[in-house]
Amino acid sequence: DTTLNVIPTMGGKVLASLSDGGCQYLIAGARANVGMKAGRYMFETRILEVLPLPDAGGFDRKGAPASRATVRVGFSTAGSPLVLGDSEEQVFFDGEGGFYVGSTKGTHSKRFFRDNIIQVLLNLDSKSPNSNTVSLFVDGVRAMQPQALPEGLVGKPLFPHISFRGVKVLTHFGPVASKELPFKCHMLGAASEADCAKAKQVEPKDGKYEVLMPVGFPDEGTFEWLDSFLEKNPEY
């Protein structure tokens, strides 16, 4: 699943986002359709390119437009919002060194940058002392201690998820890691079928999809109306 502004290439391994008409300021999101329900596995992300956002926050020391690039990597439940940070059914790390459960920031971790290999490990192995935790590694080195999953996510299938803005990213699910960890850990692409969960695809009965494009005036209650509409019409 992806937001409408995601541009997948290279068989879905490289992700970019629309960059015209103001779309460059929107956060894009993509979630894998195969996740985990048991075991201990990881996936990798690498920032390939950082794009300048001209009006997003002044200029850097060399006079070039400053970029407010955003990269968030983690796991979420199927059906949760596609932008990480919009639901309590999401856990993720961001490039600024934060660990989040939904919109709530927890422990501070190591920052990651362009060309770093960002590795997120989810441990659902009931026999492990770190069961029901998520960990971040950068270039094969642990960036922070294992973080416990919130109680509401324990026992639920969780799917790899990335949100980004102002960057082009590479996703890698294996079967071989780009950078080995200090201990043996399989990539999600090499996971046992018994440990995996597949997201259900819900298609319209008549095969036709519907797109709703709300139009409103600024500061006239548009967001309040949208919240009310979504509460009454969750299928959107």
Side-chain angles (χ1 to χ4, degrees):
D1 291 341
T2 69
T3 52
L4 292 175
N5 58 333
V6 170
I7 305 173
T9 58
M10 301 293 292
K13 295 180 180 179
V14 175
L15 304 177
S17 62
L18 296 174
S19 58
D20 291 332
C23 290
Q24 65 268 33
Y25 301 110
L26 301 177
I27 296 178
R31 179 171 50 233
N33 57 8
V34 175
M36 294 172 52
K37 60 183 179 180
R40 186 184 71 175
Y41 302 100
M42 70 173 181
F43 75 98
E44 299 177 343
T45 303
R46 183 156 60 93
I47 302 170
L48 299 178
E49 185 177 0
V50 179
L51 308 172
L53 301 177
D55 301 316
F59 298 86
D60 62 21
R61 294 180 180 179
K62 297 182 179 180
S67 173
R68 298 177 69 176
T70 298
V71 180
R72 303 169 182 170
V73 288
F75 285 85
S76 67
T77 58
S80 65
L82 287 171
V83 174
L84 286 169
D86 282 354
S87 168
E88 296 304 307
E89 294 198 331
Q90 303 168 336
V91 290
F92 64 92
F93 305 91
D94 74 356
E96 297 300 315
F99 170 70
Y100 291 80
V101 176
S103 60
T104 304
K105 186 175 182 179
T107 307
H108 190 78
S109 69
K110 180 180 178 180
R111 298 178 66 187
F112 48 80
F113 305 92
R114 177 177 173 175
D115 294 329
N116 283 147
I117 298 173
I118 307 156
Q119 300 158 301
V120 183
L121 183 156
L122 180 63
N123 189 343
L124 302 181
D125 184 356
S126 59
K127 298 180 181 179
S128 169
N130 291 323
S131 180
N132 294 318
T133 63
V134 60
S135 297
L136 174 68
F137 294 80
V138 178
D139 295 329
V141 178
R142 182 178 288 280
M144 70 183 310
Q145 293 302 309
Q147 299 298 301
L149 294 176
E151 186 176 344
L153 292 185
V154 175
K156 294 183 178 180
L158 297 174
F159 298 79
H161 197 151
I162 178 170
S163 292
F164 59 95
R165 175 180 59 192
V167 297
K168 183 182 294 184
V169 297
L170 170 70
T171 58
H172 179 57
F173 296 96
V176 179
S178 304
K179 193 78 171 180
E180 293 294 338
L181 302 186
F183 51 87
K184 186 67 175 180
C185 181
H186 292 295
M187 298 285 289
L188 185 55
S192 164
E193 186 173 352
D195 292 341
C196 293
K198 295 182 179 180
K200 296 180 180 179
Q201 288 187 325
V202 180
E203 299 183 359
K205 294 181 180 180
D206 57 3
K208 296 180 180 179
Y209 291 87
E210 183 178 4
V211 178
L212 181 68
M213 300 291 289
V215 177
F217 291 102
D219 300 322
E220 292 294 335
T222 303
F223 291 110
E224 287 80 3
W225 179 86
L226 284 170
D227 289 339
S228 174
F229 179 84
L230 287 173
E231 185 176 350
K232 298 176 181 177
N233 303 274
E235 67 273 17
Y236 284 95

